[in-house]
Amino acid sequence: MAESETAVALLCGSEQSREQVAAESWCRSAGFDVDVIRAEAVAGDASLSPYDVVWWHADAVPDAPSVADLGSELRSFVADGGGLVLSLAALSAVDELDIDPVAPDDVVVDPDGPPAGPLLKSLHEDLPVFEGVERRSITREATGATVARYEAVLPERGEVLAATRLPDRDEPGLVTAVGWSVGEGSVVGLGDCLVFDAEPPADVATARDALATSLLANVADTALPDRPHDAEGLAALRERLADDPHRPSYHLSPPANWLNDPNGLVQWNGRYHVFYQYNPGGPNHDTIHWGHAVSDDLLHWEDEPVALTPSPDGPDRDGCWSGCAVDDDGTPTLLYTGGRGADQLPCLATTDDPDLRTWAKSPDNPIIEAPPEEPAVLSTDHWDGEFRDHCVWREDGTWYQLIGAGLADGGGAALLYAAEDLREWEYRGPILTGDYGIDGVVWECPELLDLGDRSLLHVSNYEDVVYFLGEYADGAFEPEERGLLDHGDFYAPQSMRTDDGRLLTWGWLPEARTESAHWDAGWAGALSLPRELSVDGDGDLRQRPAPELRDLRGARESRDDWTVAPDSPSELDLAGRSLELRAEVALADADAAELAVLETPDREERTALRYTREGDLVVDRSAASLDPETSEEELRMPVPPYDEPLDLHVYVDGSVVEVFANERHCLTARVYPTREDATGVSLTARGGAAEVSLDAWELAGTF
Ligand code: FRU
């Protein structure tokens, strides 16, 4: 192997372990200039200044007092521009070394573990420390050593660089590599993946050598990112993903990494605040924080720092799950679900920050100690009680709260509590329970909305967002009508009452591709457009896109009274991935009329919205993408015949196609065309001519 210029100090305890001896000889054979230095010597008067890199490779958990003595020497070495690599169990010492207050929680001796390697985050795979390292590789067989990984918690300062790759799958929830900047220098923690006292197959050894060589050779010269905590850092992260054609440009998405439910929606001091379930560690559902975005016009959003972070010692250690925001006589207050172990329990946080950036969690969390006993709440292999998510309102001076649940004897439930002060809650019982065969086993994210003449209760049952329109009084909901808020990729919506009295609802638009595809993209999840909910004169539900969205309109193409001839597609001149289309469609002689978007000129890729004589709107994704990792599932929504001609209102935005039919029915589809020229729009009539009037606009991106 080539000679390296890098001078490495290999740190060990009073004795070198077998693994450390093996690491030393590997290091020499790899051409590094290496000295073995005892930890006591460093804590004493040995100088680290001749070295570029200190490598602490510990195959057993180092004992705490000796680490503390080392800390200040190592920190000043790094602060002056040195590189520090903490491998295997050495990563577990980051808190004692004062590099990060949160240490890895998964520290295990793993003799029989399957072969593993790093799963590099696509955002960071171009860092010099990973030069020549594949995004997915296997770099060790069974270890016998102690490995240190972040599983239920995330480092507070460090940026996740890699999770775990197993021979047959990604493990995005097992974080093995973290980077920190300290002064002028950099620290990489790699709690797994490198073992030298073993003879692995040649391909594993080659991948291991590439990883170790690149780390040691480059750590001192790589400016490693800390986890971005401010708006500027988040904007830079967002910028890195800007060229991804599947990124929405006017729908809210996370700056990078994972987003699910919208939370804590509130207009405060005139500004619209959207919080959301966010994993800063990667594009996977894990270690859930609350992300935050703010807007003055519902169109242009700015990333704000993370608003809620799980407390390693708190009832929300495993995640700050969904919840809502209320105005408690001038004090913005959040109620959310804290997860820890098998418990999910209500927690509270308040702020006096007019920008709603920093929140103080109540010392009394969890504010409800256990799920109710009657009716008994469902427990599963994972949870003592399926009991989470919050909808809070005030009525005649009393606070009320709904919590979503699953019941032990089957079916979802929305459980009602009452309080004088948002803190001491009294259980009142379910306002509605569902039949599990029809409405699902668990109701997540229940929300009760006052629409004037009627009330609307919606719940998310793992599959769909079911709504009930009816009467709510005295702690009981009488449903009169049932429906789905959206017939596609839409889940866990929440609403905001705006200062001008409107009710705006956002839902989570989950991805429709594999978890590995999320990992490769570096982000997952988006929010729907804000939808105005109301009931019309007949008491029927209306859902319209917020009128503010019209301000995004740019170039326009219109076709009035257009007879679309049967069977051969007519293309619009307007094309793109950021479009609004509004069409009145009468089937006339046709059996079906089809609007295709994101279409290639040869129609190899296209997403077809088909309006049929049977009264359905079908989103046909069979040709939406050439990528086999994406969903081809057909989505279908009834658009009752009395709705003819159909008013079809479609928003196309990267991988989002959001459809409003007759301002009543919604269907959102996630689609991932692969070809650059998948930007066309066409209309086709089947079996006869259809009559269409249409307006189409290019929309301005707001990110
Ligand atoms: C809905 C949900 C909620 C939970 C949150 C966790 O998507 O499962 O029930 O609070 O997401 O992220």
Side-chain angles (χ1 to χ4, degrees):
M1 224 169 263
E3 282 293 306
S4 165
E5 306 279 288
T6 311
V8 177
L10 189 60
L11 212 61
C12 68
S14 47
E15 290 203 6
Q16 239 179 316
S17 68
R18 275 183 58 140
E19 175 59 29
Q20 287 171 330
V21 171
E24 181 193 347
S25 80
W26 175 84
C27 212
R28 291 193 199 289
S29 70
F32 290 98
D33 180 0
V34 56
D35 287 333
V36 176
I37 308 247
R38 315 260 157 217
E40 307 99 81
V42 174
D45 52 11
S47 167
L48 293 174
S49 57
Y51 302 100
D52 302 300
V53 176
V54 173
W55 180 18
W56 191 7
H57 182 65
D59 52 319
V61 174
D63 80 321
S66 66
V67 176
D69 289 343
L70 265 179
S72 64
E73 292 303 320
L74 288 183
R75 264 196 322 282
S76 56
F77 167 75
V78 179
D80 290 344
L84 174 63
V85 175
L86 303 171
S87 48
L88 296 178
L91 177 62
S92 67
V94 285
D95 52 345
E96 282 120 15
L97 293 174
D98 213 7
I99 291 168
D100 199 294
V102 183
D105 56 314
D106 183 40
V107 181
V108 284
V109 183
D110 196 14
D112 303 317
L119 172 67
L120 301 187
K121 284 189 78 175
S122 54
L123 274 174
H124 301 308
E125 67 185 355
D126 292 338
L127 286 172
V129 283
F130 295 131
E131 208 175 82
V133 179
E134 301 283 320
R135 185 180 298 167
R136 295 178 171 84
S137 58
I138 298 298
T139 57
R140 68 148 177 88
E141 297 227 290
T143 63
T146 301
V147 299
R149 305 173 292 206
Y150 287 92
E151 189 177 11
V153 300
L154 275 187
E156 183 179 300
R157 285 193 49 225
E159 170 77 351
V160 173
L161 304 178
T164 303
R165 175 68 191 176
L166 300 180
D168 58 343
R169 64 174 195 281
D170 295 347
E171 274 293 349
L174 274 185
V175 169
T176 51
V178 179
W180 292 267
S181 65
V182 176
E184 302 285 301
S186 293
V187 181
V188 174
L190 185 65
D192 193 353
C193 308
L194 288 186
V195 178
F196 299 92
D197 183 27
E199 275 180 46
D203 55 336
V204 175
T206 306
R208 175 199 65 191
D209 294 354
L211 175 64
T213 305
S214 183
L215 258 182
L216 293 176
N218 297 317
V219 63
D221 298 323
T222 300
L224 280 175
D226 270 331
R227 164 134 55 101
H229 281 287
D230 57 1
E232 217 182 12
L234 292 165
L237 207 55
R238 183 177 285 286
E239 186 59 34
R240 303 267 310 279
L241 296 172
D243 292 338
D244 178 349
H246 298 136
R247 281 282 273 181
S249 68
Y250 59 91
H251 284 76
L252 246 172
S253 61
N257 304 313
W258 173 269
L259 165 151
N260 60 300
D261 315 351
N263 291 148
L265 305 178
V266 67
Q267 190 172 9
W268 194 262
N269 292 333
R271 310 194 80 195
Y272 303 100
H273 291 263
V274 167
F275 300 87
Y276 53 86
Q277 296 279 282
Y278 178 54
N279 177 14
N284 52 311
H285 185 260
D286 215 339
T287 52
I288 291 293
H289 296 51
W290 277 33
H292 182 194
V294 65
S295 171
D296 290 319
D297 60 4
L298 289 175
L299 303 174
H300 299 85
W301 295 91
E302 279 163 44
D303 293 308
E304 291 283 320
V306 162
L308 288 182
T309 296
S311 303
D313 300 322
D316 60 3
R317 183 194 73 156
D318 299 350
C320 298
W321 295 331
S322 282
C324 61
V326 290
D327 176 356
D328 183 14
D329 282 333
T331 302
T333 303
L334 305 179
L335 281 106
Y336 68 98
T337 300
R340 186 177 181 121
D343 290 328
Q344 23 186 271
L345 294 168
C347 294
L348 179 143
T350 55
T351 187
D352 52 14
D353 174 0
D355 296 320
L356 310 190
R357 285 197 178 117
T358 49
W359 294 85
K361 295 179 189 173
S362 166
D364 298 329
N365 285 342
I367 51 161
I368 295 175
E369 303 265 325
E373 279 165 19
E374 249 327 293
V377 168
L378 179 69
S379 59
T380 63
D381 289 348
H382 295 297
W383 308 115
D384 281 349
E386 296 277 1
F387 178 65
R388 60 183 173 273
D389 311 332
H390 312 263
C391 166
V392 179
W393 71 98
R394 194 173 209 168
E395 213 177 295
D396 302 328
T398 299
W399 288 105
Y400 294 93
Q401 158 167 225
L402 290 183
I403 299 180
L407 299 182
D409 63 1
L415 305 175
L416 182 69
Y417 286 76
E420 295 312 308
D421 62 354
L422 289 173
R423 283 157 179 84
E424 305 273 329
W425 292 93
E426 183 189 297
Y427 177 55
R428 294 284 172 87
I431 66 161
L432 187 68
T433 56
D435 176 336
Y436 73 92
I438 303 171
D439 290 320
V441 180
V442 175
W443 284 359
E444 303 185 291
C445 302
E447 193 178 47
L448 181 66
L449 300 169
D450 178 1
L451 297 182
D453 291 343
R454 301 177 95 179
S455 292
L456 181 144
L457 173 70
H458 68 75
V459 298
S460 294
N461 67 6
Y462 291 149
E463 292 282 320
D464 295 314
V465 184
V466 180
Y467 74 80
F468 304 94
L469 273 172
E471 300 294 327
Y472 172 73
D474 302 326
F477 188 90
E478 282 300 325
E480 290 153 3
E481 238 177 81
R482 176 190 185 280
L484 300 185
L485 267 195
D486 189 292
H487 296 256
D489 301 318
F490 178 94
Y491 199 72
Q494 200 185 100
S495 308
M496 174 195 291
R497 182 68 75 176
T498 57
D499 292 349
D500 60 9
R502 292 181 292 163
L503 206 52
L504 296 179
T505 299
W506 282 259
W508 164 37
L509 310 181
E511 302 295 321
R513 51 182 171 175
T514 60
E515 286 190 350
S516 294
H518 303 168
W519 190 265
D520 294 340
W523 67 282
L527 295 186
S528 70
L529 296 173
R531 300 177 179 177
E532 253 182 58
L533 293 193
S534 59
V535 283
D536 64 14
D538 298 329
D540 289 332
L541 180 65
R542 309 296 295 229
Q543 304 194 68
R544 299 173 236 243
E548 281 87 342
L549 288 157
R550 290 183 205 139
D551 291 345
L552 299 180
R553 289 173 179 170
R556 168 178 180 171
E557 178 175 349
S558 297
R559 308 266 185 118
D560 287 334
D561 304 326
W562 178 19
T563 301
V564 180
D567 295 326
S568 78
S570 310
E571 279 139 29
L572 294 195
D573 294 329
L574 200 100
R577 293 195 178 196
S578 189
L579 300 175
E580 178 186 351
L581 308 159
R582 185 142 200 193
E584 288 236 319
V585 184
L587 286 180
D589 298 330
D591 297 326
E594 201 171 277
L595 175 71
V597 297
L598 300 170
E599 185 175 58
T600 56
D602 61 2
R603 287 175 245 295
E604 187 181 30
E605 288 189 326
R606 65 200 298 264
T607 298
L609 317 183
R610 191 176 309 127
Y611 173 41
T612 70
R613 190 160 287 288
E614 292 72 46
D616 282 333
L617 185 85
V618 174
V619 176
D620 179 349
R621 293 191 283 193
S622 57
S625 175
L626 294 172
D627 179 352
E629 294 203 45
T630 64
S631 175
E632 293 191 3
E633 190 202 353
E634 178 183 284
L635 300 168
R636 183 178 287 266
M637 125 170 114
V639 280
Y642 66 78
D643 285 346
E644 172 91 0
L646 182 72
D647 164 16
L648 196 58
H649 199 169
V650 181
Y651 289 86
V652 178
D653 190 11
S655 51
V656 176
V657 177
E658 188 168 347
V659 181
F660 295 77
N662 291 330
E663 299 192 329
R664 286 198 180 94
H665 317 289
C666 291
L667 189 164
T668 307
R670 301 298 306 276
V671 287
Y672 309 90
T674 61
R675 281 177 47 178
E676 221 169 281
D677 57 354
T679 55
V681 180
S682 74
L683 266 154
T684 315
R686 305 268 181 216
E691 302 292 336
V692 175
S693 292
L694 172 140
D695 286 302
W697 295 268
E698 282 173 13
L699 295 193
T702 57
F703 284 104

